[in-house]
Amino acid sequence: QVQLVESGGGSVQAGGSLRLSCAASGDTRSTYCMGWFRQAPGKEREGVAALYTGGVGTYYVDSVRGRFTISRDNTTNTLYLQMNSLKPEDTGLYYCAAAARSCTSGPGDLRVSWYNSWGQGTQVTVSS
């Protein structure tokens, strides 16, 4: 349906910033909600941020609200995650995902089961 490729990960010190990118290709016409997820070793994958492609609705998990910003360039079909004031607990493999459903601007937008297309992931490591 849609192919996703993440980039922009790396290693930074606490307090630093990174911007992740996710290039979407294929048939994106049926994609209405996109999100960023992360997974640390030994932990479950968790939703970080979501964005409604047809409007301005966004949602963030409490732990990143105010520090991270999700956005999309509709011209290039690229999803972004700007991460500021990074903390060691932000370390993990970050994935972008797409769903053929609208976002609700609520916690449901961060449910892994709602998404059907995933990228390969990009590693983010934050040191003290």
Side-chain angles (χ1 to χ4, degrees):
Q1 185 69 31
V2 60
Q3 293 75 50
L4 305 171
V5 180
E6 303 97 332
S7 62
S11 298
V12 299
Q13 289 189 314
S17 298
L18 284 173
R19 188 176 78 159
L20 306 183
S21 299
C22 174
S25 61
D27 188 1
T28 62
R29 292 173 295 176
S30 61
T31 297
Y32 301 107
C33 189
M34 298 189 71
W36 285 97
F37 297 77
R38 65 188 180 189
Q39 187 169 21
K43 295 185 177 181
E44 295 289 325
R45 187 173 302 184
E46 66 170 345
V48 176
L51 174 148
Y52 174 48
T53 62
V56 296
T58 59
Y59 189 80
Y60 300 89
V61 68
D62 289 345
S63 61
V64 310
R65 188 174 292 112
R67 298 188 297 121
F68 292 8
T69 302
I70 187 172
S71 62
R72 182 172 184 267
D73 185 332
N74 294 323
T75 301
T76 61
N77 290 319
T78 303
L79 185 74
Y80 299 99
L81 184 66
Q82 178 65 48
M83 305 184 293
N84 298 325
S85 301
L86 284 163
K87 305 175 180 179
E89 50 263 45
D90 294 319
T91 294
L93 188 63
Y94 282 68
Y95 300 88
C96 65
R101 66 180 70 193
S102 297
C103 297
T104 63
S105 297
D109 298 342
L110 303 182
R111 294 177 181 173
V112 171
S113 62
W114 284 17
Y115 294 81
N116 48 42
S117 297
W118 295 85
Q120 84 289 347
T122 184
Q123 180 66 38
V124 171
T125 302
V126 184
S127 60
S128 301

